[in-house]
Amino acid sequence: PILLAVQRHTMIKEKIKTGVPGLDDMLDGGLIPGRSYVVSGTSGTGKTTVSMQFLLEGARTGERVLYISLDEPPNEIKQNMRSFGWDIGQVQVFDATPDILNYDKTPVRDVSTERRVVYLRDASDEMRITSERSPADMTINTIQEALKQEMKVRKYSRIVIDSLTSLRYFYIKTSEEDTTMMSFLRLLSDLGTTCLLTVQ
């Protein structure tokens, strides 16, 4: 089963719909905007599907929505969603999947300097080819900076980070690991955006 948890705040706002039939009834109308929610479950339980429905519901009502992909490159997401018959083209995506197909001892490059947010309809159907120059680096700081820059240009009302579990794998383990994660969650709160973070 999928477990949905919420990061608490003090002010209650009008709820927004998730786009998942029946879930809004269970949640007494939907999600409180401006909060971060964790969608937890084992592999194959539908975390990405729920997350995409959440974004599509926002796009349907004219909201700007962003999918940050850490597990699957955009071409795989498009292929997986085709079976539902959904038009996911209006969802914007930031491909933050690490370059694991190529190992190189040369210094890494910040992924935010190599990749940009695009609409899923414009994302290539081909597998991304690792840069010949060097692999791209993925860290929590990279995602934070990319989000800050994007929010300056576009005010997203819904963001999905799929998955927080993978993000933890791609930064150096230090004594400040928990502090770094809490800083990231605080940024999401400060953005005032409704976020879903998948966790396995």
Side-chain angles (χ1 to χ4, degrees):
I2 296 176
L3 173 66
L4 190 68
V6 59
Q7 182 181 350
R8 296 288 179 190
H9 291 268
T10 55
M11 194 162 102
I12 303 297
K13 301 177 182 177
E14 184 178 338
K15 293 186 176 181
I16 60 173
K17 296 192 179 300
T18 63
V20 182
L23 182 58
D24 292 327
D25 292 335
M26 290 174 55
L27 297 173
D28 195 26
L31 303 175
I32 298 170
R35 294 186 178 183
S36 295
Y37 297 83
V38 173
V39 180
S40 178
T42 57
S43 180
T45 54
K47 300 181 297 295
T48 298
T49 304
V50 166
S51 298
M52 190 59 70
Q53 287 177 281
F54 165 74
L55 293 179
L56 288 173
E57 178 64 21
R60 185 185 66 77
T61 59
E63 299 176 47
R64 281 192 181 275
V65 299
L66 176 63
Y67 185 96
I68 298 176
S69 176
L70 289 142
D71 285 342
E72 299 175 285
N75 67 307
E76 290 183 16
I77 295 166
K78 289 168 71 173
Q79 290 170 9
N80 293 339
M81 293 299 130
R82 279 186 184 129
S83 62
F84 296 105
W86 297 335
D87 178 11
I88 64 170
Q90 67 270 36
V91 173
Q92 290 187 279
V93 61
F94 180 69
D95 179 9
T97 54
D99 285 321
I100 58 174
L101 302 180
N102 180 26
Y103 174 73
D104 192 338
K105 291 183 179 179
T106 58
V108 294
R109 295 173 64 86
D110 188 324
V111 72
S112 62
T113 66
E114 304 232 342
R115 303 182 199 156
R116 297 286 178 260
V117 171
V118 298
Y119 284 100
L120 268 170
R121 66 174 166 260
D122 298 327
S124 172
D125 287 331
E126 303 299 321
M127 173 64 95
R128 188 186 69 248
I129 299 174
T130 300
S131 168
E132 293 181 0
R133 291 174 293 177
S134 59
D137 188 23
M138 174 47 51
T139 67
I140 286 184
N141 291 335
T142 298
I143 295 294
Q144 283 181 311
E145 289 309 309
L147 274 174
K148 287 177 186 176
Q149 292 303 315
E150 275 299 304
M151 289 299 284
K152 287 178 182 177
V153 178
R154 305 172 185 90
K155 298 297 182 187
Y156 296 101
S157 58
R158 300 184 188 214
I159 295 175
V160 165
I161 298 173
D162 189 11
S163 76
L164 202 59
T165 305
S166 292
L167 186 57
R168 294 187 75 130
Y169 293 146
F170 294 106
Y171 65 86
I172 297 171
K173 305 293 184 185
T174 69
S175 59
E176 298 181 354
E177 176 179 340
D178 290 334
T179 304
T180 302
M181 186 61 72
M182 290 305 296
S183 173
F184 179 68
L185 294 174
R186 174 54 58 190
L187 169 67
L188 296 179
S189 176
D190 291 345
L191 291 176
T193 303
T194 310
C195 298
L196 293 191
L197 305 101
T198 67
V199 175
Q200 184 171 322

